[in-house]
Amino acid sequence: MNSIDKSSEWLALKRHWSEIEYRHMRELFAEDSARFDRMSLQACGILLDYSKNRATSETMGLLMDLAERADLAAWIRRMFSGERINNTEGRAVLHVALRSCSDEPVLLDGEDVMPQVRAVLAQMKDFSNAVRDGDWLGYTGYRITDVVNIGIGGSNLGPLMVAEALRHYQDPGLNVHFVSNVDATHLVETLKSLNPETTLFIVASKTFTTQETLANAKAARRWCIEALKDESAVARHFVAVSTNAAEVAAFGIDTGNMFGFWDWVGGRYSLWSAIGLPIALAIGMPNFMQLLQGAYDMDCHFRDSKLSENMPVIMGLLGVWYHNFGGVRTHAILPYDQYLRHLPAYLQQADMESNGKRVSRDGQQLSYTTGPVVWGAAGTDGQHAFYQLIHQGTQLVTSDFIASVHSHNELGDQHLKLMANFFAQTEALMKGRTEDEAMAELVNAGLAEEALAALLPHKVFPGNRPTNSLLLDRLTPQRLGSLIALYEHKIFVQGIVWQINSFDQWGVELGKQLAGVVLGELSEEADVGRHDASTNGLLAYFKQNRLRHS
Ligand code: G6Q
């Protein structure tokens, strides 16, 4: 594979960055009154304004050339047509099939996967209706009031984020909880307020071998049996979501209470599958179907729009622009929506696990960087925490600001206050405050000359800080589906340009192996000493102190 950084398209962008680097967005706006019209677009009920970027029409043209060099359009077709593009695991990447609302078949090795997808959706519908309507009762005949999803990583972050984002649509009679950490505190604190007779556990694990999930599931099972005094209670209080029926049965969950999915669904892309069962329980299956509809809308936009009018393509390429040509290393996700407060953590996994790769699809060490550090928090909280660095720090941070025109909670003028902050921040990040403006302000405040000179440099804001603004009409299940799919496809676009496999996760697998080895050495009698001096020392200290204080 020819390394993309040797291509003429890449070199053209490199030259172009050196031309544009010192141009201020203030100038770009002053020169072009139609900039917003040219650099914004709408799709699936989402407005993307990308005009507050260090980019011109020429930049966008050069980025599109790079996408063509990377053969992006063909790779999009490959994903949608079920090719095994996850080459290191020999798997297709078909999360798009999970939300297909079309009658067209989705073929994998010549076989339509849609009948299986629809069968699991029907099973989810029956089950979630039964629990929500009180037809599925606990072992002692009580209605289920609490659902605890036990899963980690991709089997936790998606459902957790969506259930919280759509809390407005939740049935108040059914609370959904999420336990992921192997630190028992997570489970213990969650169970404290729950009644075993009315609690249903979903054990969610694609492999059903993940240490954290199995440890929590076993502890939950003991908690249930101890309270209900009968092993057979498990059948009414435990269901599983997995691709591994044998391990589900070995754990003691009836496979009749199992919801399946397939190896062509990556963990971090699985909330659309049965991994979304806690979402369906929380908001009801019609709303879950709306979530899928929204994702499908974005899939169609991504698959069918030309690259220059394609929202995920534009966002992905702008990310490449800053990362590879501007040296920007971190990207902030800033939802001005309390319901979306878990979105940064969700996208952190989606992006960093997908694109945190150092070799190309064919195993060559890359000569350019990939995968920004993704982080963030809900506005306005973030403004009172880390925005200082974004405004005045020494490194350039790019950000996505996300909000809705209408709030589910229009309390007084609070939504207007929230949105005033949203608009003011992106404007301030773009414009900054020049020395003259800062000076005028200090003069107005009546500062004496000496104090003014001392304070002036601190009051200057360079501006020219790039932001994307994303405006939804309202945070509905459908819009949320489109928003998540937008980011999934953005990540895909970047992975293709970087020539990497965005769909494996060997770094996660490593953690799973290593913890198992060390666990064996933590017993009293086991020898420690096979590691480096630091690890040996830490292990010895830990074991001695456990003994001393036990
Ligand atoms: C996601 C990753 C990873 C995975 C967890 C849980 O893409 O593969 O986060 O989801 O490690 O794995 P299981 O679902 O197999 O328990």
Side-chain angles (χ1 to χ4, degrees):
M1 186 187 304
N2 291 331
S3 183
I4 193 144
D5 63 338
K6 307 292 180 292
S7 68
S8 55
E9 291 80 359
W10 185 280
L11 299 175
L13 278 159
K14 213 168 160 183
R15 277 194 301 278
H16 183 59
W17 178 267
S18 61
E19 288 156 18
I20 217 150
E21 187 177 3
Y22 299 105
R23 297 213 56 194
H24 203 289
M25 277 187 262
R26 278 186 186 227
E27 284 171 38
L28 301 178
F29 274 97
E31 280 167 11
D32 179 5
S33 58
R35 190 172 162 86
F36 171 80
D37 298 329
R38 280 191 307 96
M39 298 181 81
S40 64
L41 80 159
Q42 296 179 42
C44 315
I46 301 174
L47 166 74
L48 166 68
D49 170 21
Y50 61 100
S51 62
K52 292 194 184 86
N53 275 293
R54 296 187 186 186
T56 60
S57 304
E58 187 186 354
T59 319
M60 298 314 294
L62 292 173
L63 285 168
M64 296 303 153
D65 293 346
L66 185 70
E68 275 176 27
R69 163 62 65 150
D71 216 7
L72 176 60
W75 280 101
I76 295 173
R77 279 197 300 278
R78 279 179 202 144
M79 174 170 71
F80 278 88
S81 63
E83 261 188 50
R84 293 181 187 270
I85 60 171
N86 175 357
N87 61 318
T88 59
E89 295 183 312
R91 292 174 179 170
V93 174
L94 273 178
H95 46 278
V96 291
L98 299 169
R99 57 234 191 176
S100 171
C101 299
S102 131
D103 295 332
E104 294 289 306
V106 178
L107 299 180
L108 175 62
D109 299 332
E111 197 187 322
D112 185 11
V113 301
M114 290 312 296
Q116 315 169 54
V117 169
R118 291 195 192 103
V120 174
L121 285 171
Q123 191 193 359
M124 289 169 69
K125 181 178 171 194
D126 289 347
F127 182 72
S128 57
N129 284 347
V131 172
R132 288 164 60 88
D133 295 345
D135 296 335
W136 175 286
L137 300 175
Y139 179 67
T140 50
Y142 289 103
R143 216 182 150 114
I144 299 297
T145 57
D146 293 87
V147 174
V148 181
N149 188 76
I150 298 180
I152 196 164
S155 301
N156 169 63
L157 285 163
L160 166 70
M161 182 274 286
V162 173
E164 189 53 39
L166 299 177
R167 184 176 276 275
H168 175 77
Y169 297 85
Q170 276 193 26
D171 180 342
L174 192 63
N175 303 307
V176 182
H177 314 261
F178 292 86
V179 171
S180 54
N181 201 334
V182 75
D183 181 344
T185 302
H186 203 170
L187 182 70
V188 169
E189 286 296 337
T190 305
L191 296 186
K192 267 184 185 165
S193 59
L194 303 187
N195 175 358
E197 292 183 275
T198 59
T199 299
L200 173 79
F201 292 94
I202 302 173
V203 185
S205 174
K206 181 173 167 180
T207 55
F208 229 79
T209 55
T210 305
Q211 187 197 58
E212 292 92 330
T213 300
L214 292 186
N216 278 322
K218 280 178 194 153
R221 196 169 183 276
R222 282 195 300 275
W223 180 80
C224 172
I225 294 170
E226 268 163 32
L228 304 180
K229 314 263 183 267
D230 191 342
E231 287 250 349
S232 55
V234 169
R236 304 301 298 171
H237 292 269
F238 278 77
V239 298
V241 179
S242 187
T243 57
N244 190 343
E247 288 294 334
V248 169
F251 180 84
I253 296 179
D254 180 354
T255 46
N257 291 344
M258 174 181 154
F259 298 79
F261 61 116
W262 308 274
D263 73 356
W264 42 264
V265 182
R268 56 196 172 277
Y269 297 90
S270 65
L271 72 89
W272 321 99
S273 71
I275 289 289
L277 186 62
I279 305 172
L281 284 162
I283 63 173
M285 203 61 189
N287 281 321
F288 186 75
M289 295 307 287
Q290 284 295 304
L291 182 79
L292 300 190
Q293 173 72 53
Y296 175 70
D297 297 343
M298 187 54 77
D299 293 342
C300 295
H301 167 77
F302 181 54
R303 189 193 53 200
D304 302 334
S305 308
K306 63 182 197 185
L307 299 184
S308 58
E309 291 166 10
N310 194 313
M311 206 178 267
V313 172
I314 291 169
M315 285 177 64
L317 292 175
L318 281 168
V320 169
W321 171 234
Y322 292 114
H323 185 83
N324 295 104
F325 304 98
V328 173
R329 292 288 167 263
T330 89
H331 183 71
I333 304 290
L334 307 171
Y336 276 62
D337 192 322
Q338 185 66 9
Y339 286 130
L340 288 177
R341 69 181 184 281
H342 295 309
L343 184 68
Y346 169 77
L347 290 179
Q348 183 173 66
Q349 182 200 22
D351 200 319
M352 294 174 72
E353 207 166 278
S354 297
N355 287 344
K357 309 285 162 66
R358 49 175 279 288
V359 294
S360 64
R361 284 188 294 271
D362 59 6
Q364 301 298 312
Q365 169 109 33
L366 301 174
S367 44
Y368 44 87
T369 58
T370 66
V373 174
V374 174
W375 57 288
T380 57
D381 286 350
Q383 286 176 217
H384 298 264
F386 53 78
Y387 278 38
Q388 168 61 38
L389 184 147
I390 305 182
H391 279 288
Q392 286 189 307
T394 50
Q395 53 182 314
L396 191 60
V397 176
T398 56
S399 320
D400 291 349
F401 281 67
I402 305 166
S404 297
V405 173
H406 301 284
S407 168
H408 288 301
N409 299 300
E410 295 277 352
L411 191 62
D413 66 351
Q414 284 190 223
H415 189 59
L416 298 184
K417 289 191 166 122
L418 177 74
M419 292 308 293
N421 278 282
F422 176 97
F423 296 119
Q425 285 293 327
T426 56
E427 184 175 31
L429 285 164
M430 185 276 282
K431 278 188 164 169
R433 192 200 276 146
T434 63
E435 203 169 278
D436 287 350
E437 288 165 347
M439 173 108 71
E441 197 179 284
L442 293 174
V443 168
N444 262 351
L447 246 71
E449 205 172 310
E450 206 174 315
L452 188 151
L455 204 49
L456 187 59
H458 302 278
K459 292 283 209 170
V460 171
F461 288 71
N464 218 12
R465 307 302 210 225
T467 59
N468 291 317
S469 296
L470 289 147
L471 274 178
L472 283 57
D473 41 7
R474 192 187 295 275
L475 185 62
T476 60
Q478 188 175 356
R479 291 294 170 266
L480 180 67
S482 299
L483 182 71
I484 301 167
L486 165 63
Y487 276 97
E488 286 179 346
H489 296 320
K490 173 204 161 179
I491 292 165
F492 177 86
V493 168
Q494 296 190 332
I496 294 305
V497 171
W498 288 326
Q499 302 178 310
I500 56 179
N501 177 2
S502 300
F503 300 102
D504 60 10
Q505 56 283 312
W506 300 106
V508 181
E509 314 300 337
L510 175 73
K512 292 185 181 183
Q513 283 165 18
L514 296 182
V517 174
V518 176
L519 182 62
E521 297 173 19
L522 294 183
S523 66
E524 268 175 47
E525 53 294 342
D527 271 355
V528 178
R530 280 178 284 155
H531 303 271
D532 58 88
S534 162
T535 310
N536 287 338
L538 288 166
L539 286 169
Y541 178 90
F542 176 80
K543 288 176 73 166
Q544 278 156 18
N545 279 278
R546 290 278 290 186
L547 279 177
R548 200 170 300 151
H549 302 302
S550 59

